Amino acid sequence: MNLTDLTFTVSEVASLTDEKVETVKTWRKRGYFTFEKSAAIGWQRFSWDELFSIAVFSEVIGSVGSHELAGFAGGIAPQMADEIRGSAKPYFIGAKHRELGLHSEVVYGADGISHHLKQMLSADKCYGCYVVVDYASIMQRLSEKFAKISEEA
């Protein structure tokens, strides 16, 4: 079974991301995700990549509470999923400051993280708070949780 061929209901998405159904629905209504609506009237089904986007959004919002950073990191999650399937190790580094705005970068491997953070910390613009998203770890946890739920069903 290929996970990328599956679709998920909002209840399944909520369960797999440890969120409430109403939370996922509210995020969608507020426009944090720009997913295509399925052909079925009245019901939204989410692809694996859309589920992954929501999982990344949930992870970031739960860690730092910035909808803007979470939206950006979640928005590029499908592209990062493709890269992970191609055996890359992508990380999102983001920072947001009222006066400095949003900074975001995708780097590869642990060395890329330390190199980029060193550059940011030595630059004239110091954001003060930085976010690192490990896409591969989120993908692995999501896959493991899906496998466990599938076994129990």
Side-chain angles (χ1 to χ4, degrees):
M1 164 179 54
N2 190 351
L3 291 175
T4 58
D5 295 334
L6 299 176
T7 60
F8 304 87
T9 65
V10 69
S11 296
E12 292 167 328
V13 168
S15 176
L16 287 164
T17 60
D18 295 321
E19 294 292 348
K20 295 178 182 172
V21 170
E22 286 308 311
T23 299
V24 174
K25 287 180 177 181
T26 298
W27 287 344
R28 207 170 141 261
K29 286 177 190 171
R30 290 186 179 166
Y32 297 128
F33 315 114
T34 55
F35 304 142
E36 291 183 30
K37 196 138 182 153
S38 67
I41 296 175
W43 294 98
Q44 171 72 48
R45 298 217 37 111
F46 298 88
S47 69
W48 175 261
D49 285 351
E50 291 167 341
L51 167 61
F52 183 52
S53 290
I54 294 169
V56 169
F57 185 90
S58 173
E59 187 94 16
V60 176
I61 204 71
S63 296
V64 296
S66 169
H67 288 86
E68 190 172 10
L69 281 173
F72 193 84
I76 63 171
Q79 178 186 344
M80 298 301 101
D82 285 342
E83 293 189 21
I84 291 166
R85 288 188 280 270
S87 66
K89 298 283 186 199
Y91 297 87
F92 169 85
I93 297 176
K96 184 176 181 232
H97 187 274
R98 284 182 207 94
E99 295 172 10
L100 300 174
L102 179 71
H103 173 84
S104 63
E105 189 80 31
V106 174
V107 299
Y108 296 87
D111 290 339
I113 296 169
S114 60
H115 175 75
H116 190 73
L117 283 174
K118 283 178 189 175
Q119 285 182 323
M120 288 179 72
L121 292 169
S122 64
D124 291 338
K125 295 180 181 180
C126 287
Y127 286 83
C129 181
Y130 304 87
V131 176
V132 176
V133 177
D134 179 351
Y135 287 101
S137 291
I138 296 170
M139 176 74 77
Q140 182 171 347
R141 278 198 314 272
L142 190 59
S143 298
E144 288 169 358
K145 188 161 188 176
F146 175 77
K148 183 178 178 185
I149 289 172
S150 295
E151 286 174 9
E152 293 170 356

